[in-house]
Amino acid sequence: MSFDLAARLAARRAEHLYRQRPLLDSPQGPQVVVDGQPLLAFCNNDYLGLANHPQVIEAWRAGASRWGVGGGASHLVVGHATPHHELEEALADLTGRPRALLFTTGYMANLGAVTALVGQGDTVLEDRLNHASLLDAGLLSGARFNRYLHNDAVSLAKRLEKATGNTLVVTDGVFSMDGDLADLPALAREARAKGAWLMVDDAHGFGPLGANGAGIVEHFGLSQDDVPVLVGTLGKAFGTAGAFVAGSEELIESLIQFARPYIYTTSQPPALACATLKSLELLRTEHWRREHLNGLIRQFRRGAEQLGLDLMDSFTPIQPIMVGDSAKAIRLSQRLRERGVMVTAIRPPTVPAGSARLRVTLTAAHSEAQVQLLLNALEACFRLEPEHA
């Protein structure tokens, strides 16, 4: 008996679901070189345009000179360096919480937080469209796991009625494939009414949302009592890498004691924390980045609606164009690429069956002229489809 991997791969190809890695041969930015081809990219999550910022690069370089290039050990052994500590304090300040805890990746932050807080005899309730890392965390926790209808506080309330033990309600802040916002006020209200905790993964909200870029909790004016567990990633709007959990003194100390992905992982390079501290400074002082980005979002939505494209309910940098059929989504993505524009086709199982889409992401590094080029390319490519021909 053997694993028939060839058959599994062939089936995925036949279903137009086969994935391949584009090879990037340039820094991140609007203008990239992918597989040897110069392209105008609308598919990365560098929302504030900081991933290739000269001050961030210099902060990393200076950090490497001072602290070396490796974390060297886990945080609890001898891997917790001064830049890590300073970054945690800065993130706590940004989120208005007593403490923050650095994780090496967003996946590990979600896995660590959920599995440290709930286990057998407890309940974890998650939005149906949550990120894979949140769903995996719920399943691996050993708690009773259930999903409520997308962004539906009434559906959540029904499941809360049947919850047992400690109950954790988990949601994305900005849903990564749809771009819509969680209805945090309503979810928080239902959770608090039943004595449950609400955990929000705001990976795509930090930077673009909130008066100071502090994300969806700031956007809605909520408190730590409303959202006790707040997760953010640093590889998107911050332009670097890693993640954090922010919350109470007791929460962070509990994660240090019980979150296995934190305890048993080598710390990120201290120089990376130095770079993120500079990103955080730029995020807090250069408000024009969010203002310019919001202008591009309005420009894109206005232009796409005039073209009759099927947009989703999003005012975030994530602007999906619904296509439906996976083969059609791949075809449109390829046609765009032939015109020098890179937009990724997102297909099942990342999104539900029948909801393949082009996932456009906008950044503060894009210009109005580049957004217009994207709209022109979209018009030309959609016109070639049979229903428009």
Side-chain angles (χ1 to χ4, degrees):
M1 182 178 176
S2 63
F3 293 98
D4 193 352
L5 299 183
R8 291 175 66 185
L9 293 171
R12 179 149 281 205
R13 284 184 188 276
E15 294 162 0
H16 305 287
L17 301 179
Y18 199 82
R19 291 167 167 78
Q20 292 174 286
R21 299 180 298 174
L23 182 59
L24 180 68
D25 195 30
S26 66
Q28 289 290 355
Q31 303 279 358
V32 296
V33 177
V34 177
D35 297 328
Q37 180 185 5
L39 293 168
L40 176 58
F42 290 93
C43 53
N44 72 43
N45 299 321
D46 181 27
Y47 300 129
L48 296 183
L50 298 176
N52 193 36
H53 193 288
Q55 290 184 44
V56 178
I57 294 169
E58 180 51 40
W60 194 325
R61 185 179 289 119
S65 295
R66 168 71 176 82
W67 300 98
V69 296
S74 67
H75 284 275
L76 291 175
V77 177
V78 70
H80 189 63
T82 299
H84 299 135
H85 196 70
E86 291 175 348
L87 178 55
E88 288 179 344
E89 290 180 334
L91 291 166
D93 184 60
L94 175 68
T95 58
R97 290 165 184 245
R99 295 278 301 275
L101 188 69
L102 271 181
F103 281 78
T104 307
T105 69
Y107 213 107
M108 289 298 172
N110 285 332
L111 201 60
V114 174
T115 56
L117 291 172
V118 292
Q120 284 193 332
D122 298 325
T123 303
V124 59
L125 302 174
E126 301 207 18
D127 189 292
R128 291 191 69 80
L129 297 188
N130 272 354
H131 188 267
S133 61
L134 294 173
L135 299 174
D136 285 356
L139 289 167
L140 289 168
S141 70
R144 182 178 174 210
F145 176 71
N146 209 321
R147 293 193 285 176
Y148 58 90
L149 298 178
H150 176 52
N151 226 357
D152 189 330
V154 174
S155 174
L156 171 61
K158 290 176 181 175
R159 284 158 178 76
L160 282 166
E161 290 288 349
K162 301 173 184 176
T164 57
N166 292 322
T167 301
L168 188 65
V169 176
V170 184
T171 183
D172 275 332
V174 177
F175 290 89
S176 59
M177 291 301 125
D178 290 16
D180 58 334
L181 302 189
D183 185 359
L184 282 196
L187 299 176
R189 197 161 49 244
E190 296 298 339
R192 290 184 72 178
K194 292 294 187 296
W197 270 21
L198 177 59
M199 171 177 161
V200 176
D201 175 10
D202 201 24
H204 297 271
F206 275 104
L209 296 181
N212 299 295
I216 190 170
V217 173
E218 182 183 50
H219 171 80
F220 282 119
L222 300 178
S223 70
Q224 183 175 290
D225 289 337
D226 298 309
V227 183
V229 188
L230 179 58
V231 181
T233 56
L234 306 171
K236 298 177 176 66
F238 287 86
T240 56
F244 65 95
V245 180
S248 68
E249 180 80 26
E250 293 78 12
L251 171 67
I252 300 307
E253 281 300 316
S254 295
L255 294 181
I256 291 171
Q257 302 302 320
F258 302 113
R260 290 166 65 85
Y262 179 81
I263 297 166
Y264 300 109
T265 299
T266 298
S267 65
Q268 63 175 228
L272 174 57
C274 295
T276 306
L277 278 163
K278 177 56 69 172
S279 293
L280 183 52
E281 177 189 322
L282 294 170
L283 180 151
R284 300 191 81 161
T285 57
E286 296 188 348
H287 294 280
W288 65 264
R289 292 180 182 275
R290 281 192 299 282
E291 292 160 9
H292 175 60
L293 178 57
N294 286 332
L296 297 182
I297 294 167
R298 289 192 294 270
Q299 177 193 357
F300 174 78
R301 289 189 67 83
R302 188 166 56 245
E305 286 164 0
Q306 288 171 354
L307 295 176
L309 302 181
D310 187 2
L311 297 181
M312 302 187 76
D313 183 22
S314 167
F315 63 86
T316 71
I318 302 167
Q319 293 293 321
I321 302 168
M322 187 60 70
V323 175
D325 178 65
S326 292
K328 180 179 177 182
I330 295 170
R331 189 165 63 242
L332 286 163
S333 178
Q334 186 57 41
R335 283 183 181 148
L336 285 166
R337 196 157 167 167
E338 289 165 2
R339 286 168 171 76
V341 176
M342 186 173 185
V343 177
T344 306
I346 304 293
R347 298 156 286 158
T350 305
V351 293
S355 70
R357 72 218 36 198
L358 297 175
R359 183 179 182 266
V360 172
T361 54
L362 302 166
T363 78
H366 286 111
S367 67
E368 291 182 3
Q370 288 171 332
V371 172
Q372 189 56 53
L373 283 170
L374 168 64
L375 290 166
N376 295 345
L378 285 167
E379 181 179 24
C381 292
F382 272 88
R383 197 186 297 127
L384 292 172
E385 284 302 303
E387 61 265 35
H388 297 283

